[in-house]
Amino acid sequence: MRMIKQRNLYQLTFLPSVFPVNCYFVEEEDGLTLIDAALPNSADGIAAAARKVEKAIRRIVLTHAHSDHIGALDKLKQMFPDVPVYISRRDARLLTGDCTLDPSEPSTPIRGGVPKPHTIKTTPDVLLDDGSRVGSLLAIWTPGHTPGSMSFLDTRTQCLIAGDAFQTRGGFAVTGQLRPLFPFPAMATWNKELGMESARKIREYQPELLAVGLGNMIAQPVELMDRALGL
């Protein structure tokens, strides 16, 4: 595991040279907010990183319910039973393996590593809506990669943790835009058109640091975001 700090954000990367999967610590006054739960064997590494930072994990926040973002969730909940788990109200259904779509949603099939029914034992403690607050983080509903994907803006620093709304591995891209050097996020995207709408939405927040699920963090990312959006 590799750990890199930018401002009050720690990026934890598992399998960095093969298939880099990121999760993040956001430093708060009372400890750490863990964003995403990486891979099934990542729990011990996440706990060790918290010990290295010398702060306790106070909450677990999920950007969406794909397997490379929820892999260690059950193990982490066993390790830290009193730590609340947050996920969007919409992707809480995906967490249970429910891939049905609402009548108002595009009929494109949900793709990617959605858990099979009854495989995830953890029940979320808090369901998030667009505009919800989690400590210093503003929750922003950014559907596209999944129906209930969320991004999180640290309102103190303008750091944006975007899940898979963007990728930086294999080339900068909005979710659904195929990058041949690393095509997996596009292949796992539910609806490319909604992904573009969501990318435009979070670009308006003028983030100063972009942190994604797959790839390196990018400082001053707006120009790259504009290019990917064709602006």
Side-chain angles (χ1 to χ4, degrees), residues 166 193 195-204 229 231:
F166 288 91
E193 290 73 26
M196 290 292 285
E197 289 180 20
S198 293
R200 284 191 285 269
K201 177 180 178 179
I202 54 180
R203 179 249 180 251
E204 292 304 311
L229 289 164
L231 300 177

Side-chain angles (χ1 to χ4, degrees), residues 25-26 28 30-34 50-51 53-59 80 83:
F25 287 148
V26 178
E28 297 277 6
D30 65 345
L32 301 171
T33 297
L34 171 65
R51 289 194 296 271
V53 174
E54 298 184 337
K55 292 194 174 184
I57 297 172
R58 298 298 186 190
R59 55 200 70 82
F80 308 109
V83 171

Side-chain angles (χ1 to χ4, degrees), residues 62 65 70 73 87 91-98 115-116 120 122 124:
L62 304 172
I70 62 169
L73 178 62
I87 193 171
D91 260 26
R93 281 166 45 192
L94 281 190
L95 195 64
T96 70
D98 178 0
K116 292 186 170 74
I120 300 297
T122 300

Side-chain angles (χ1 to χ4, degrees), residues 36-49:
D36 286 334
L39 301 167
N41 60 354
S42 300
D44 289 340
I46 290 169

Side-chain angles (χ1 to χ4, degrees), residues 91-211:
D91 260 26
R93 281 166 45 192
L94 281 190
L95 195 64
T96 70
D98 178 0
C99 291
T100 60
L101 294 166
D102 293 335
S104 60
E105 293 174 335
S107 60
T108 47
I110 296 175
R111 300 181 173 92
V114 177
K116 292 186 170 74
H118 312 300
T119 56
I120 300 297
K121 307 303 181 189
T122 300
T123 300
D125 300 283
V126 182
L127 300 182
L128 299 171
D129 297 304
D130 192 38
S132 294
R133 297 299 296 252
V134 184
S136 298
L137 300 175
L138 172 67
I140 307 167
W141 185 47
T142 49
H145 193 65
T146 67
S149 288
M150 298 206 92
S151 300
F152 297 92
L153 182 74
D154 190 326
T155 55
R156 302 166 298 178
T157 62
Q158 290 298 108
C159 293
L160 180 72
I161 303 98
D164 288 342
F166 288 91
Q167 72 181 74
T168 64
R169 175 77 170 183
F172 194 93
V174 177
T175 190
Q177 292 177 332
L178 185 66
R179 294 293 180 261
L181 292 177
F182 200 74
F184 309 106
M187 293 165 60
T189 293
W190 164 58
N191 189 272
K192 180 179 178 180
E193 290 73 26
L194 280 179
M196 290 292 285
E197 289 180 20
S198 293
R200 284 191 285 269
K201 177 180 178 179
I202 54 180
R203 179 249 180 251
E204 292 304 311
Y205 286 91
Q206 296 281 307
E208 295 185 10
L209 182 71
L210 177 66

